[in-house]
Amino acid sequence: MSDVHEGASWWRRGVIYQIYPRSFQDSDGDGIGDLAGLRRRLDHLQWLGIDAVWLSPIFPSPMADFGYDVADYNAVDPMFGSFGDLDELIAELDRRGMRLLLDLVPNHTSDRHPWFLESRSSRDNPRRDWYIWRDPAPDGGPPNEWQSAFKGSAWEWDEHTGQYYFHAFLKEQPDLDWRNPQVRAAMHDVLRFWLQRGVAGFRIDVIWLLAKGVELEPGQPAQEDGIGGDQPAVHAYIAELRALAGEFDDALLVGELYLEPERLMAYYGTRGEGLQLPFNFQLVEQPWDAQTLSPIIARYEELLPQAGWPNWVLGNHDKPRIASRVGARQARVAAVMLLTLRGTPTIYYGDEIGMVDAEVPADLQRDPQGLRGGASRDPQRTPMRWDGSATGGFTDGTPWLPIGPSLATINVEAQREDRGSMLTLHRSLLELRRREPALNVGRFQSLGADGDVLAYERSFEETTFLVVLNLGSSPARTEVGRSGRVVVSTHVGREDRLVVGEVDLSADEAVVIRVDPGD
Ligand code: TEU
């Protein structure tokens, strides 16, 4: 594919779309999405105007954590299809000018992975030190106090070999020991394997946890913040991955990092040895108000290293959906923000139609985090809705999670031709963003916050767009000192109006204004 704007990699201009494969499209009636189903829905992605699909894990897995427990990194779980299905998906995406990013889970494997089966078979097995084994504390208990992210001790007793192994998540997800060069080499082979088959890169699970630091050594006190991570060695591990990506046309590495911006920036590296996109979760984590978000956005832009490219996210399979968090009206404002800020946006499947968290009755809950007393992630993982039929066109069988509320209005078919729909808003924004360098590769200038109104400017050469977002639920007027014409509004029928010096916004309205040339 040719680059329209010279020097800008596809992922700088591009938009990523996350698919949770269990919930996108079922093709065989088992109520669980699969690759053949996904392939049938590529028209939607192409019509919407996205550039790359990030597919949550599709590798063979006992599904203790729905695929984030991988039992074989080089194959496809039969539940999702065959190897051939994945090859065809890659080819079909390519034909349509889109790319595939796989989800790499390198921090831990499934406890059924052959590596772990070997590791736990005896203390002198050559793979023993591929995982993190420790003797019990003097009282026979776990080596330290660390808690798993899913509650309970992060250490699991292995009767057979008389030691504990470490798991940051479920006991079915033992952590690999990345200090071991053999582990790193094995994971490099996994990357190579998929890159050779034509994937464009990876989203990398919990990458900051790869280096756990001295706290894991026996006798060291437990770290206050739980399982630790973000230790200096992680950057050397990442540099190895990036060098490998370099052998494949600088394949894209997106890192999952729940870190504050100051610490996040180190993951970009300084000389092309870091991740191209360390996920920026501030819009997911911070309260939805202009006074909070405006300085956060400006600060993130300031902190970015010189060659670093920003990225923005509103939700994923681990977090409540944006439309539930901020409400349907503000979700439209959020869409304008996500798709006009400087940087690569990632859209979570279904957010383009305003899907909300579903209430999942106790007896239908599936997420291990929820079942162990944490926040259930089932509500944000419900099936994509393609039409208004009982199962939303997702399956002919019984969906693995309930379809959720407001099916009649929140589905692709109902929204496709509706000028005022969330889907139409997304498509218009994506179309404008693709067409206008100012909105993809262009510069960013914060205009601060005025009450509930947050504003910024995007520009490229002579073209400038003003983005003005009312995060409040009352009408607002704000001074912008420019004149131009509204090209997108969250409010149907309010496009095309002229702006002279100040902007009048309805409650919950966001607008994109093309500034008059020379103004
Ligand atoms: O998530 C990592 C992570 O930090 C989660 O604990 C997340 O913050 C939490 O679930 C929020 O409710 C990744 C994957 O995205 C997640 O689905 C996996 O369960 C986890 O790693 C283990 O692989």
Side-chain angles (χ1 to χ4, degrees), residues 173-359:
Q173 295 167 296
D175 281 46
L176 285 160
D177 191 343
W178 270 69
R179 290 172 302 182
N180 185 334
Q182 292 177 346
V183 167
R184 303 205 296 275
M187 209 51 79
H188 297 167
D189 285 345
V190 172
L191 271 92
R192 256 188 219 105
F193 178 85
W194 290 113
L195 290 169
Q196 276 160 359
R197 305 200 82 87
V199 313
F202 302 90
R203 173 268 189 186
I204 309 179
D205 197 57
V206 294
I207 197 160
W208 82 102
L209 290 183
L210 295 184
K212 294 158 184 83
V214 292
E215 292 81 1
L216 264 183
E217 299 303 333
Q220 293 285 332
Q223 214 167 263
E224 265 173 33
D225 66 343
I227 50 185
D230 191 31
Q231 300 291 323
V234 73
H235 300 293
Y237 304 156
I238 290 173
E240 290 178 352
L241 300 179
R242 181 66 188 273
L244 197 156
E247 296 166 24
F248 293 87
D249 207 14
D250 206 23
L252 177 61
L253 304 179
V254 185
E256 188 205 22
L257 290 142
Y258 283 97
L259 293 176
E260 58 203 52
E262 284 74 9
R263 300 176 83 172
L264 187 68
M265 293 305 164
Y267 287 76
Y268 278 103
T270 50
R271 296 164 281 106
E273 83 288 19
L275 303 168
Q276 291 98 324
L277 298 178
F279 260 144
N280 164 23
F281 290 133
Q282 291 180 98
L283 298 182
V284 177
E285 309 252 280
Q286 297 290 340
W288 191 254
D289 70 80
Q291 297 294 330
T292 308
L293 290 180
S294 178
I296 281 175
I297 293 166
R299 172 110 182 105
Y300 172 77
E301 279 277 354
E302 272 164 35
L303 285 170
L304 275 173
Q306 212 175 11
W309 183 249
N311 74 89
W312 299 95
V313 180
L314 289 174
N316 59 39
H317 63 297
D318 294 330
K319 302 291 174 186
R321 283 194 181 265
I322 183 72
S324 291
R325 203 152 59 81
V326 305
R329 283 188 289 274
Q330 280 296 318
R332 296 173 67 88
V333 176
V336 176
M337 190 190 286
L338 176 72
L339 300 177
T340 59
L341 280 171
R342 189 179 81 114
T344 308
T346 300
I347 300 174
Y348 185 48
Y349 84 93
D351 280 356
E352 78 272 32
I353 50 172
M355 273 173 67
V356 292
D357 294 340
E359 239 177 81

Side-chain angles (χ1 to χ4, degrees), residues 18 20 54 56-57 64-69 103-108 149-150 168-170 173 203-209 227 256-258 281 285 316-320 367-370 374-377 380-381:
Q18 179 189 358
Y20 197 66
W54 147 31
S56 281
D65 190 18
F66 296 113
Y68 287 92
D69 47 326
D103 202 321
L104 185 73
V105 189
N107 177 68
H108 43 269
F150 293 151
F169 297 91
L170 297 173
Q173 295 167 296
R203 173 268 189 186
I204 309 179
D205 197 57
V206 294
I207 197 160
W208 82 102
L209 290 183
I227 50 185
E256 188 205 22
L257 290 142
Y258 283 97
F281 290 133
E285 309 252 280
N316 59 39
H317 63 297
D318 294 330
K319 302 291 174 186
D367 173 33
Q369 177 169 285
S376 176
R377 299 171 294 182
Q380 60 264 31
R381 296 177 177 180

